[in-house]
Amino acid sequence: MKVHLQEDILKDQKRAAAFNRERFNLSKTLVINLMSSPGAGKTTLLEKTIKNLNGNYRIAVIEGDLATERDAERLRALGVQTVQINTVGGCHLDARMIAKQLPHFHLEEIDLLFIENIGNLVCPSGYDLGQNYKVVLLSVPEGNDKIPKYPIMFRRTDMTIINKIDLLPFVDFDLAEAESDLRAIHPEAHFKALSAKTGEGFESWIDWLRDVHQTCTRH
């Protein structure tokens, strides 16, 4: 006997994502879902972004980790409202987790909301959080093989940032090859190379955030 399952098991997740997106659109809050493997530099990128934009943009963060509030504490030290989600063993954030945290924020008073996802190049790519854009970081010490080996992540992402370019003289990483690999699977994706530590190439990222925020507020 065969049983045919017609019900979408992710329907609650999809409803939560739609709920989040409606809330974000109503408040004109630009939401960026940041993803990467562990140690690629998401929190350092956020620290420098906050320092560049704070004062001109009202910024908040939802921080995802399996355990601890260490990254959240780094961002709170910059005066930014940061809410921690600890998944304990979960490998990604989902829209329901985000929806549960929204009552902590006055979204109409937030211009940019960053969601720092769990460090993982597999699971987070498949979950819509209601964000405007998905951004993935790849650090040069990870090597050129990651884009071809994890194509789903890079195919489902609006922007790929190559981080830690200050280490290029010391590691075997080819920026042109990385961009070519990305174009082969996602021709329309934005591609940026920068160092969140030194600030090299950072202005291009900041300019993009300003541009997409203007687009967000016009709708």
Side-chain angles (χ1 to χ4, degrees):
M1 177 181 175
K2 292 184 178 180
V3 177
H4 297 282
L5 298 178
Q6 300 294 333
E7 187 174 5
D8 186 348
I9 62 173
L10 292 178
K11 67 177 182 179
D12 290 339
Q13 154 69 19
K14 291 178 180 178
R15 287 172 180 165
F19 169 81
N20 294 346
R21 184 170 287 108
E22 182 179 7
R23 292 287 311 278
F24 299 147
N25 287 342
L26 285 172
S27 63
K28 298 187 181 299
T29 302
L30 175 66
V31 183
I32 307 294
N33 179 6
L34 283 176
M35 301 172 289
S36 78
S37 58
K42 295 189 299 299
T43 308
T44 302
L45 179 86
L46 285 177
E47 287 177 317
K48 187 166 287 292
T49 300
I50 290 164
K51 290 173 183 176
N52 271 268
L53 293 178
N54 226 0
N56 297 312
Y57 294 84
R58 299 165 297 179
I59 300 172
V61 179
I62 295 176
E63 178 67 44
D65 279 305
L66 270 71
T68 82
E69 295 200 12
R70 293 184 179 183
D71 289 346
E73 289 167 358
R74 289 167 59 182
L75 301 175
R76 289 171 186 148
L78 299 175
V80 170
Q81 182 184 5
T82 304
V83 172
Q84 179 72 51
I85 298 176
N86 287 135
T87 63
V88 183
C91 62
H92 62 270
L93 299 178
D94 67 35
R96 290 166 294 189
M97 297 177 187
I98 301 303
K100 289 178 181 178
Q101 304 307 318
L102 295 187
H104 295 289
F105 298 99
H106 296 290
L107 289 175
E108 66 280 0
E109 299 175 3
I110 297 172
D111 299 309
L112 297 174
L113 174 63
F114 293 97
I115 301 172
E116 184 174 347
N117 219 311
I118 308 296
N120 186 332
L121 283 179
V122 182
C123 304
S125 66
Y127 288 83
D128 179 8
L129 307 182
Q131 74 285 309
N132 296 95
Y133 297 95
K134 291 181 178 180
V135 175
V136 61
L137 276 68
L138 176 66
S139 64
V140 301
E142 295 175 75
N144 274 101
D145 62 338
K146 297 304 179 291
I147 295 176
K149 286 174 68 175
Y150 299 94
I152 294 175
M153 168 61 79
F154 295 92
R155 187 180 296 121
R156 292 175 173 174
T157 304
D158 303 290
M159 176 186 291
T160 292
I161 294 176
I162 306 299
N163 190 25
K164 305 186 182 182
I165 61 172
D166 52 302
L167 299 179
L168 282 172
F170 311 107
V171 297
D172 184 15
F173 190 94
D174 187 321
L175 282 175
E177 180 182 340
E179 184 169 10
S180 177
D181 286 337
L182 179 66
R183 297 287 169 237
I185 62 173
H186 193 348
E188 298 82 19
H190 296 276
F191 179 87
K192 298 188 182 299
L194 55 81
S195 169
K197 180 179 181 180
T198 69
E200 181 181 358
F202 211 79
E203 193 57 36
S204 177
W205 160 245
I206 295 298
D207 287 344
W208 180 80
L209 286 172
R210 291 192 180 108
D211 288 344
V212 293
H213 179 260
Q214 285 184 347
T215 300
C216 173
T217 57
R218 283 199 295 266
H219 289 81

